[in-house]
Amino acid sequence: MKIATWNVNSLKVRLQHVVDWLAESKADVLCLQELKLTDDKFPRAELEAQGYRSWFAGQKTYNGVAILVRDGLAVDEATVVRNIPGFEDPQQRVIAATVDGVRIVSAYFPNGQAPGTEKFAYKLSWLDAMHDWLGAEMERHPQLALLGDYNIAPEDRDVHDPKAWEGQNLVSPEERAQFQRLIALGFVDAYRQFEQPDKMFTWWDYRMFAFRRNAGLRIDHILLSPALTPLLASCEIDKVPRKWEQPSDHTPVVADLKIAG
Protein backbone atom coordinates (compact mmCIF):
# COMPACT_ATOMS: atom_id res chain seq x y z
CA MET A 1 0.00 0.00 0.00
CA LYS A 2 1.47 3.31 -1.10
CA ILE A 3 0.37 6.20 1.13
CA ALA A 4 1.22 9.87 0.67
CA THR A 5 0.61 13.34 2.04
CA TRP A 6 0.56 16.68 0.22
CA ASN A 7 -0.37 20.20 1.27
CA VAL A 8 -1.72 21.44 -2.06
CA ASN A 9 -2.34 25.06 -0.96
CA SER A 10 -5.72 25.27 -2.78
CA LEU A 11 -7.20 22.20 -4.43
CA LYS A 12 -9.09 24.40 -6.89
CA VAL A 13 -5.80 25.84 -8.17
CA ARG A 14 -3.86 22.57 -7.97
CA LEU A 15 -6.47 19.97 -9.03
CA GLN A 16 -4.69 19.14 -12.28
CA HIS A 17 -1.44 18.75 -10.36
CA VAL A 18 -3.13 16.24 -8.05
CA VAL A 19 -4.63 14.35 -11.00
CA ASP A 20 -1.28 14.24 -12.80
CA TRP A 21 0.60 13.18 -9.69
CA LEU A 22 -1.85 10.38 -8.89
CA ALA A 23 -1.48 9.05 -12.44
CA GLU A 24 2.30 9.05 -12.15
CA SER A 25 2.69 7.87 -8.57
CA LYS A 26 -0.06 5.22 -8.52
CA ALA A 27 -0.61 6.07 -4.86
CA ASP A 28 -3.25 4.01 -3.06
CA VAL A 29 -4.04 6.69 -0.49
CA LEU A 30 -3.33 10.43 -0.74
CA CYS A 31 -3.92 12.76 2.19
CA LEU A 32 -4.41 16.41 1.24
CA GLN A 33 -4.22 19.56 3.32
CA GLU A 34 -5.13 23.20 2.73
CA LEU A 35 -8.00 22.46 0.37
CA LYS A 36 -9.23 26.05 0.78
CA LEU A 37 -12.72 25.23 -0.46
CA THR A 38 -16.10 24.29 0.99
CA ASP A 39 -17.47 20.75 0.78
CA ASP A 40 -19.91 21.66 -1.99
CA LYS A 41 -16.97 22.77 -4.16
CA PHE A 42 -14.92 19.61 -3.63
CA PRO A 43 -14.08 18.00 -7.02
CA ARG A 44 -15.40 14.57 -6.10
CA ALA A 45 -16.53 13.69 -9.62
CA GLU A 46 -13.25 14.71 -11.23
CA LEU A 47 -11.30 12.52 -8.82
CA GLU A 48 -13.71 9.61 -9.21
CA ALA A 49 -13.05 9.79 -12.93
CA GLN A 50 -9.38 9.14 -12.08
CA GLY A 51 -10.29 6.12 -9.96
CA TYR A 52 -10.25 7.72 -6.50
CA ARG A 53 -12.99 8.10 -3.91
CA SER A 54 -12.80 11.04 -1.51
CA TRP A 55 -13.55 11.83 2.11
CA PHE A 56 -13.09 15.47 3.09
CA ALA A 57 -13.76 18.30 5.52
CA GLY A 58 -13.50 21.72 3.96
CA GLN A 59 -14.07 25.38 4.68
CA LYS A 60 -13.99 28.57 2.70
CA THR A 61 -10.60 30.18 2.00
CA TYR A 62 -8.62 28.37 4.71
CA ASN A 63 -7.65 24.92 5.96
CA GLY A 64 -9.50 21.80 4.79
CA VAL A 65 -8.31 18.19 4.65
CA ALA A 66 -9.11 15.12 2.56
CA ILE A 67 -8.31 11.46 2.07
CA LEU A 68 -8.31 10.08 -1.48
CA VAL A 69 -8.52 6.30 -1.81
CA ARG A 70 -7.93 4.28 -4.94
CA ASP A 71 -10.84 2.18 -6.18
CA GLY A 72 -10.60 -1.39 -4.96
CA LEU A 73 -9.56 -0.57 -1.40
CA ALA A 74 -12.19 -0.97 1.30
CA VAL A 75 -13.11 2.07 3.41
CA ASP A 76 -15.15 1.56 6.57
CA GLU A 77 -17.65 4.44 6.40
CA ALA A 78 -18.60 3.95 10.04
CA THR A 79 -15.07 4.86 11.15
CA VAL A 80 -14.79 8.20 9.32
CA VAL A 81 -14.09 11.02 11.79
CA ARG A 82 -13.87 14.75 11.10
CA ASN A 83 -11.88 16.92 13.51
CA ILE A 84 -10.58 15.90 16.93
CA PRO A 85 -13.41 14.42 19.00
CA GLY A 86 -14.06 16.49 22.09
CA PHE A 87 -12.00 19.46 20.89
CA GLU A 88 -14.24 22.34 19.90
CA ASP A 89 -12.76 23.85 16.76
CA PRO A 90 -14.40 25.58 13.77
CA GLN A 91 -11.26 25.03 11.69
CA GLN A 92 -11.29 21.92 9.52
CA ARG A 93 -7.95 20.28 10.22
CA VAL A 94 -8.44 16.53 10.67
CA ILE A 95 -10.13 13.68 8.85
CA ALA A 96 -9.62 9.99 9.58
CA ALA A 97 -10.78 6.81 7.87
CA THR A 98 -9.94 3.10 8.01
CA VAL A 99 -8.65 1.85 4.65
CA ASP A 100 -8.14 -1.90 4.25
CA GLY A 101 -7.65 -2.14 8.02
CA VAL A 102 -5.16 0.74 8.23
CA ARG A 103 -6.27 3.82 10.15
CA ILE A 104 -5.37 6.83 8.02
CA VAL A 105 -5.34 10.28 9.62
CA SER A 106 -4.91 13.35 7.40
CA ALA A 107 -4.04 16.39 9.52
CA TYR A 108 -3.22 20.03 8.93
CA PHE A 109 -1.53 21.21 12.11
CA PRO A 110 -1.97 24.91 13.00
CA ASN A 111 0.80 27.22 11.84
CA GLY A 112 1.08 29.10 15.13
CA GLN A 113 2.22 32.43 13.68
CA ALA A 114 4.85 33.15 16.37
CA PRO A 115 5.68 32.08 19.95
CA GLY A 116 3.79 34.16 22.48
CA THR A 117 0.80 34.89 20.24
CA GLU A 118 -2.79 33.70 20.62
CA LYS A 119 -2.39 31.58 17.49
CA PHE A 120 0.64 29.88 19.02
CA ALA A 121 -1.33 29.13 22.21
CA TYR A 122 -4.09 27.65 20.02
CA LYS A 123 -1.50 25.50 18.26
CA LEU A 124 -0.21 24.10 21.54
CA SER A 125 -3.72 23.36 22.85
CA TRP A 126 -4.60 21.72 19.53
CA LEU A 127 -1.46 19.61 19.76
CA ASP A 128 -2.37 18.54 23.29
CA ALA A 129 -5.80 17.43 22.11
CA MET A 130 -4.32 15.67 19.07
CA HIS A 131 -1.83 13.80 21.26
CA ASP A 132 -4.51 12.55 23.65
CA TRP A 133 -6.88 11.52 20.88
CA LEU A 134 -4.17 9.68 18.95
CA GLY A 135 -3.16 7.77 22.05
CA ALA A 136 -6.69 6.46 22.40
CA GLU A 137 -7.07 6.01 18.64
CA MET A 138 -3.99 3.79 18.48
CA GLU A 139 -5.53 1.47 21.04
CA ARG A 140 -8.63 1.13 18.85
CA HIS A 141 -6.65 0.93 15.61
CA PRO A 142 -3.16 -0.52 16.17
CA GLN A 143 -2.25 -0.01 12.49
CA LEU A 144 -2.35 3.78 12.34
CA ALA A 145 -0.64 6.30 10.05
CA LEU A 146 -0.64 10.03 10.77
CA LEU A 147 0.03 11.97 7.58
CA GLY A 148 0.03 15.69 7.03
CA ASP A 149 1.50 19.13 7.25
CA TYR A 150 2.64 19.30 10.87
CA ASN A 151 4.05 22.83 10.66
CA ILE A 152 6.93 21.51 12.80
CA ALA A 153 10.52 20.89 11.71
CA PRO A 154 11.50 18.35 14.38
CA GLU A 155 15.31 18.67 14.22
CA ASP A 156 17.96 21.10 13.04
CA ARG A 157 18.73 18.85 10.08
CA ASP A 158 15.16 19.54 8.91
CA VAL A 159 15.97 23.25 8.55
CA HIS A 160 18.09 24.81 5.81
CA ASP A 161 19.61 27.37 8.21
CA PRO A 162 19.06 26.31 11.83
CA LYS A 163 20.82 29.34 13.28
CA ALA A 164 18.65 31.80 11.36
CA TRP A 165 15.48 29.94 12.43
CA GLU A 166 16.47 29.39 16.05
CA GLY A 167 13.54 29.98 18.41
CA GLN A 168 11.13 30.89 15.62
CA ASN A 169 7.75 29.44 14.81
CA LEU A 170 7.87 25.91 13.33
CA VAL A 171 11.16 25.13 15.08
CA SER A 172 10.54 26.40 18.63
CA PRO A 173 11.37 24.16 21.62
CA GLU A 174 7.67 23.96 22.51
CA GLU A 175 6.68 22.68 19.07
CA ARG A 176 9.54 20.22 18.89
CA ALA A 177 8.61 18.92 22.33
CA GLN A 178 5.08 18.29 21.06
CA PHE A 179 6.49 16.33 18.13
CA GLN A 180 8.50 14.22 20.57
CA ARG A 181 5.35 13.60 22.62
CA LEU A 182 3.88 11.95 19.53
CA ILE A 183 7.03 9.86 19.15
CA ALA A 184 6.68 8.88 22.81
CA LEU A 185 3.27 7.36 22.02
CA GLY A 186 5.18 4.83 19.92
CA PHE A 187 5.06 6.54 16.54
CA VAL A 188 8.11 6.53 14.28
CA ASP A 189 9.05 9.12 11.68
CA ALA A 190 8.83 7.04 8.49
CA TYR A 191 11.25 9.26 6.58
CA ARG A 192 13.97 8.86 9.21
CA GLN A 193 13.84 5.07 9.12
CA PHE A 194 16.11 5.17 6.07
CA GLU A 195 19.37 6.81 5.14
CA GLN A 196 18.41 10.01 3.37
CA PRO A 197 20.29 12.70 1.44
CA ASP A 198 21.20 15.86 3.32
CA LYS A 199 19.11 19.02 2.98
CA MET A 200 15.88 17.32 1.96
CA PHE A 201 12.83 19.46 2.68
CA THR A 202 9.09 19.48 1.95
CA TRP A 203 8.29 23.21 2.03
CA TRP A 204 9.94 26.24 0.46
CA ASP A 205 8.67 29.81 0.69
CA TYR A 206 7.49 31.32 -2.58
CA ARG A 207 9.66 34.36 -1.88
CA MET A 208 13.37 35.03 -2.40
CA PHE A 209 13.89 32.10 -4.79
CA ALA A 210 13.72 29.75 -1.80
CA PHE A 211 13.16 26.58 -3.83
CA ARG A 212 15.96 27.42 -6.24
CA ARG A 213 18.27 27.96 -3.25
CA ASN A 214 16.85 24.91 -1.44
CA ALA A 215 16.07 27.17 1.52
CA GLY A 216 13.37 24.92 2.92
CA LEU A 217 12.03 23.06 5.92
CA ARG A 218 10.87 19.47 6.41
CA ILE A 219 7.47 20.04 8.00
CA ASP A 220 5.33 17.42 6.21
CA HIS A 221 5.53 14.02 7.83
CA ILE A 222 4.28 10.46 7.95
CA LEU A 223 4.30 8.92 11.43
CA LEU A 224 3.55 5.22 11.80
CA SER A 225 2.32 3.25 14.80
CA PRO A 226 4.40 0.35 16.20
CA ALA A 227 2.19 -2.18 14.41
CA LEU A 228 2.78 -0.53 11.02
CA THR A 229 6.47 0.22 11.35
CA PRO A 230 7.72 -3.31 10.50
CA LEU A 231 5.73 -3.09 7.25
CA LEU A 232 7.49 0.07 6.06
CA ALA A 233 9.47 -0.58 2.86
CA SER A 234 10.46 2.97 1.90
CA CYS A 235 9.72 6.66 2.46
CA GLU A 236 10.70 9.47 0.13
CA ILE A 237 10.13 13.15 -0.57
CA ASP A 238 9.00 13.75 -4.15
CA LYS A 239 10.33 17.19 -5.12
CA VAL A 240 9.15 17.04 -8.73
CA PRO A 241 5.72 18.72 -8.25
CA ARG A 242 7.42 21.74 -6.64
CA LYS A 243 9.07 22.34 -10.03
CA TRP A 244 5.76 22.47 -11.92
CA GLU A 245 4.16 25.67 -13.10
CA GLN A 246 2.20 27.50 -10.36
CA PRO A 247 3.09 24.83 -7.75
CA SER A 248 2.10 24.42 -4.15
CA ASP A 249 4.80 25.60 -1.76
CA HIS A 250 4.82 22.03 -0.38
CA THR A 251 5.68 18.76 -2.11
CA PRO A 252 4.49 15.17 -1.48
CA VAL A 253 5.92 12.69 0.99
CA VAL A 254 5.36 9.03 0.06
CA ALA A 255 5.66 5.82 2.06
CA ASP A 256 5.37 2.24 0.83
CA LEU A 257 3.91 -0.32 3.22
CA LYS A 258 4.21 -4.03 2.64
CA ILE A 259 0.47 -4.47 2.61
CA ALA A 260 -1.32 -5.80 -0.46
CA GLY A 261 -3.49 -3.00 -1.84
Side-chain angles (χ1 to χ4, degrees):
M1 179 187 288
K2 181 182 285 189
I3 62 175
T5 183
W6 190 4
N7 178 324
V8 290
N9 191 15
S10 175
L11 183 55
K12 179 180 179 180
V13 174
R14 247 68 70 174
L15 176 59
Q16 191 59 51
H17 285 194
V18 171
V19 168
D20 292 345
W21 190 82
L22 286 170
E24 292 177 12
S25 70
K26 302 295 191 293
D28 295 300
V29 177
L30 174 59
C31 294
L32 300 177
Q33 301 86 41
E34 278 206 274
L35 306 179
K36 295 185 176 180
L37 45 74
T38 52
D39 287 353
D40 61 306
K41 302 293 185 183
F42 191 91
R44 185 199 297 264
E46 291 89 335
L47 292 166
E48 285 180 351
Q50 306 303 317
Y52 288 84
R53 291 162 294 149
S54 308
W55 287 262
F56 47 87
Q59 69 181 84
K60 187 177 181 180
T61 309
Y62 301 104
N63 308 318
V65 285
I67 299 173
L68 312 185
V69 180
R70 184 176 54 78
D71 288 344
L73 277 70
V75 177
D76 185 349
E77 293 277 2
T79 68
V80 176
V81 170
R82 292 171 177 81
N83 285 328
I84 303 171
F87 184 74
E88 200 67 34
D89 190 1
Q91 301 187 28
Q92 301 299 311
R93 294 187 173 279
V94 177
I95 189 163
T98 302
V99 182
D100 270 14
V102 178
R103 189 62 166 164
I104 300 290
V105 181
S106 177
Y108 176 44
F109 288 40
N111 177 276
Q113 190 177 48
T117 64
E118 287 186 9
K119 289 184 178 180
F120 193 79
Y122 159 69
K123 181 175 189 174
L124 295 182
S125 64
W126 189 94
L127 285 162
D128 283 339
M130 187 66 157
H131 169 274
D132 294 347
W133 174 63
L134 286 171
E137 195 75 348
M138 206 187 301
E139 293 183 6
R140 291 186 289 266
H141 305 280
Q143 291 192 331
L144 190 151
L146 174 63
L147 305 94
D149 174 3
Y150 288 40
N151 272 311
I152 301 172
E155 301 177 60
D156 281 354
R157 60 178 169 167
D158 301 312
V159 182
H160 70 96
D161 187 345
K163 192 65 178 175
W165 279 81
E166 189 173 357
Q168 293 190 43
N169 192 46
L170 310 183
V171 304
S172 72
E174 296 94 331
E175 292 161 291
R176 287 180 167 179
Q178 289 281 5
F179 188 93
Q180 291 306 315
R181 288 185 73 211
L182 294 176
I183 298 299
L185 287 174
F187 284 108
V188 301
D189 182 342
Y191 186 73
R192 290 301 180 201
Q193 300 311 296
F194 304 93
E195 185 174 345
Q196 303 287 5
D198 291 337
K199 301 291 185 179
M200 288 293 290
F201 309 119
T202 65
W203 171 84
W204 301 261
D205 199 314
Y206 287 126
R207 299 168 296 181
M208 299 177 65
F209 304 103
F211 182 68
R212 187 182 301 177
R213 297 186 296 111
N214 198 29
L217 302 177
R218 189 177 74 98
I219 58 175
D220 302 84
H221 307 291
I222 299 175
L223 295 191
L224 301 178
S225 67
L228 273 185
T229 301
L231 305 178
L232 178 62
S234 66
C235 187
E236 299 176 340
I237 295 169
D238 182 359
K239 292 175 63 175
V240 172
R242 189 60 173 82
K243 302 174 185 178
W244 292 346
E245 186 176 352
Q246 202 175 2
S248 169
D249 46 353
H250 296 251
T251 209
V253 182
V254 188
D256 269 313
L257 302 174
K258 291 177 284 188
I259 301 173

